[in-house]
Amino acid sequence: YRPDHWLLVEDGRIVGAEPARAGSGPDASWQRVDHAGRLITPGFIDTHVHCPQLDVIASYGTALLEWLNTYTFPAELRYADPLVAASGAERFVDALLAHGTTSAVVFPTVHK
Protein backbone atom coordinates (compact mmCIF):
# COMPACT_ATOMS: atom_id res chain seq x y z
CA TYR A 1 0.00 0.00 0.00
CA ARG A 2 1.51 3.30 -1.10
CA PRO A 3 -0.70 6.32 -0.44
CA ASP A 4 0.10 9.53 -2.29
CA HIS A 5 2.21 7.95 -5.02
CA TRP A 6 2.32 8.18 -8.77
CA LEU A 7 1.74 4.81 -10.40
CA LEU A 8 3.54 4.73 -13.74
CA VAL A 9 1.80 2.55 -16.32
CA GLU A 10 3.18 1.95 -19.80
CA ASP A 11 1.44 -0.23 -22.40
CA GLY A 12 -0.86 -1.63 -19.69
CA ARG A 13 1.99 -2.63 -17.36
CA ILE A 14 3.11 -1.03 -14.12
CA VAL A 15 6.65 0.23 -14.68
CA GLY A 16 7.17 2.18 -11.49
CA ALA A 17 5.81 4.05 -8.49
CA GLU A 18 7.06 7.39 -7.18
CA PRO A 19 6.11 9.44 -4.12
CA ALA A 20 3.81 12.34 -5.06
CA ARG A 21 5.68 15.19 -3.40
CA ALA A 22 5.28 18.79 -4.48
CA GLY A 23 7.08 19.23 -7.78
CA SER A 24 7.70 15.49 -8.19
CA GLY A 25 6.09 12.94 -10.43
CA PRO A 26 6.40 11.87 -14.02
CA ASP A 27 7.42 14.36 -16.69
CA ALA A 28 4.93 16.03 -19.01
CA SER A 29 5.13 13.17 -21.55
CA TRP A 30 3.05 10.99 -19.16
CA GLN A 31 -0.74 11.23 -19.22
CA ARG A 32 -1.90 12.07 -15.69
CA VAL A 33 -5.07 10.50 -14.31
CA ASP A 34 -6.12 11.36 -10.75
CA HIS A 35 -7.28 8.30 -8.83
CA ALA A 36 -6.85 9.89 -5.39
CA GLY A 37 -8.83 8.08 -2.71
CA ARG A 38 -9.06 4.87 -4.73
CA LEU A 39 -7.27 1.58 -4.33
CA ILE A 40 -5.62 0.31 -7.51
CA THR A 41 -4.93 -3.42 -7.66
CA PRO A 42 -3.67 -5.78 -10.35
CA GLY A 43 -6.14 -8.14 -11.99
CA PHE A 44 -7.31 -11.05 -9.86
CA ILE A 45 -6.62 -14.69 -10.80
CA ASP A 46 -9.21 -17.43 -10.26
CA THR A 47 -7.59 -20.85 -10.37
CA HIS A 48 -10.82 -22.90 -10.38
CA VAL A 49 -14.08 -21.62 -11.85
CA HIS A 50 -16.86 -23.33 -13.83
CA CYS A 51 -18.32 -21.28 -16.68
CA PRO A 52 -21.72 -23.06 -16.90
CA GLN A 53 -22.30 -22.70 -13.15
CA LEU A 54 -22.69 -18.91 -13.22
CA ASP A 55 -26.46 -19.13 -12.84
CA VAL A 56 -26.35 -21.58 -9.92
CA ILE A 57 -23.85 -19.79 -7.70
CA ALA A 58 -25.12 -19.83 -4.10
CA SER A 59 -28.01 -22.20 -4.91
CA TYR A 60 -29.27 -24.01 -1.83
CA GLY A 61 -28.15 -27.58 -1.28
CA THR A 62 -27.70 -29.64 1.85
CA ALA A 63 -25.02 -31.90 0.40
CA LEU A 64 -22.72 -31.83 -2.60
CA LEU A 65 -24.50 -34.58 -4.56
CA GLU A 66 -27.90 -32.97 -3.97
CA TRP A 67 -26.55 -29.63 -5.17
CA LEU A 68 -24.95 -31.18 -8.25
CA ASN A 69 -28.08 -33.15 -9.19
CA THR A 70 -30.55 -30.35 -8.47
CA TYR A 71 -28.71 -27.33 -9.85
CA THR A 72 -25.35 -27.95 -11.47
CA PHE A 73 -26.00 -30.83 -13.86
CA PRO A 74 -29.23 -29.30 -15.26
CA ALA A 75 -27.44 -25.95 -15.75
CA GLU A 76 -24.57 -27.67 -17.56
CA LEU A 77 -26.96 -29.72 -19.71
CA ARG A 78 -28.36 -26.47 -21.18
CA TYR A 79 -24.87 -25.83 -22.62
CA ALA A 80 -25.45 -28.63 -25.13
CA ASP A 81 -27.26 -25.91 -27.10
CA PRO A 82 -24.53 -23.85 -28.87
CA LEU A 83 -26.56 -20.63 -28.59
CA VAL A 84 -26.99 -21.07 -24.84
CA ALA A 85 -23.30 -21.90 -24.50
CA ALA A 86 -22.20 -18.84 -26.49
CA SER A 87 -24.50 -16.50 -24.57
CA GLY A 88 -23.52 -18.03 -21.23
CA ALA A 89 -19.81 -17.79 -22.01
CA GLU A 90 -20.17 -14.11 -22.91
CA ARG A 91 -22.02 -13.34 -19.66
CA PHE A 92 -19.44 -15.37 -17.73
CA VAL A 93 -16.47 -13.44 -19.13
CA ASP A 94 -18.29 -10.14 -18.56
CA ALA A 95 -18.90 -11.15 -14.92
CA LEU A 96 -15.24 -12.08 -14.40
CA LEU A 97 -14.01 -8.76 -15.80
CA ALA A 98 -16.64 -6.75 -13.91
CA HIS A 99 -15.22 -8.12 -10.65
CA GLY A 100 -11.56 -7.59 -11.55
CA THR A 101 -10.67 -11.13 -12.59
CA THR A 102 -8.36 -10.93 -15.59
CA SER A 103 -6.99 -14.51 -15.60
CA ALA A 104 -8.75 -17.77 -14.83
CA VAL A 105 -8.56 -21.53 -15.15
CA VAL A 106 -12.05 -22.13 -16.53
CA PHE A 107 -13.81 -25.49 -16.57
CA PRO A 108 -16.45 -25.98 -19.32
CA THR A 109 -19.00 -28.77 -19.77
CA VAL A 110 -18.52 -32.02 -21.65
CA HIS A 111 -20.55 -30.69 -24.58
CA LYS A 112 -19.03 -29.89 -27.96
Side-chain angles (χ1 to χ4, degrees), residues 12-48:
R13 293 188 171 270
I14 297 171
V15 295
E18 297 179 7
R21 293 185 208 95
S24 73
D27 64 45
S29 69
W30 289 83
Q31 176 186 0
R32 296 172 184 232
V33 179
D34 185 1
H35 291 290
R38 296 182 181 166
L39 184 63
I40 299 172
T41 64
F44 298 116
I45 300 169
D46 191 328
T47 60
H48 186 123

Side-chain angles (χ1 to χ4, degrees), residues 30 54 70:
W30 289 83
L54 180 66
T70 304

Side-chain angles (χ1 to χ4, degrees), residues 2 10 13 16 26-27 29 35-36 39 54 57 64 69 82-85 88 90 92 94 96 99-101 106:
R2 295 183 179 187
E10 190 170 50
R13 293 188 171 270
D27 64 45
S29 69
H35 291 290
L39 184 63
L54 180 66
I57 292 172
L64 178 59
N69 287 323
L83 294 176
V84 171
E90 187 173 329
F92 175 78
D94 288 346
L96 286 179
H99 292 91
T101 303
V106 180

